[in-house]
Amino acid sequence: MCIFCQIASGEIPTEFLYESAKVLAFKDFLPQAPVHILIIPRAHFENTAELAAVDSETTGELFGAARELATSLGLDGYRITINTGASAGQSVLHAHLHLLGGRPFAWPPG
Ligand code: AMP
């Protein structure tokens, strides 16, 4: 079972900042910004492209959860990052959004 599936199943005890039937959010354990939250589907998909191909409702909920979290945390701006594939820096092969905030972000990204 992948690490995010272990988190979703409760095998790795984790505090959830957003929780629904299909989606979970929790803090990244190596935060890259003062706010760094991972938003994942409970079900296993290798990346968000694979999820979006079959389940647009859950894909949309990932973004809705990001909006809700950003609002509840009072972020005036934030960045959503989706690494897809090893060349883009994806290290966990379970679909996820990164919600990053609380500091300025440069463009273009590294
Ligand atoms: P990515 O590189 O886009 O696949 O992002 C994976 C993210 O998951 C990284 O930012 C890691 O720090 C984070 N991560 C990996 N394992 C855990 C875990 N057990 N709990 C919280 N965050 C994790």
Side-chain angles (χ1 to χ4, degrees), residues 5-109:
C5 282
Q6 290 177 61
I7 288 172
S9 72
E11 198 175 319
I12 297 177
T14 304
E15 181 192 357
F16 297 126
L17 306 176
Y18 176 98
E19 200 170 355
S20 74
K22 299 253 175 89
V23 171
L24 293 169
F26 52 90
K27 287 184 181 168
D28 195 296
F29 73 176
L30 282 175
Q32 303 302 315
V35 173
H36 188 171
I37 297 170
L38 299 170
I39 306 169
I40 71 167
R42 287 181 186 268
H44 183 86
F45 291 88
E46 191 164 310
N47 55 51
T48 47
E50 301 228 332
L51 171 67
V54 298
D55 187 347
S56 57
E57 192 182 323
T58 302
T59 305
E61 191 184 338
L62 298 178
F63 288 93
R67 182 186 54 78
E68 273 187 36
L69 286 162
T71 301
S72 68
L73 292 166
L75 298 178
D76 60 351
Y78 55 89
R79 181 168 287 180
I80 291 171
T81 299
I82 304 172
N83 298 321
T84 304
S87 64
Q90 186 180 2
S91 60
V92 175
L93 298 183
H94 182 123
H96 55 280
L97 309 189
H98 297 256
L99 172 64
L100 297 146
R103 68 166 171 83
F105 294 96
W107 193 262

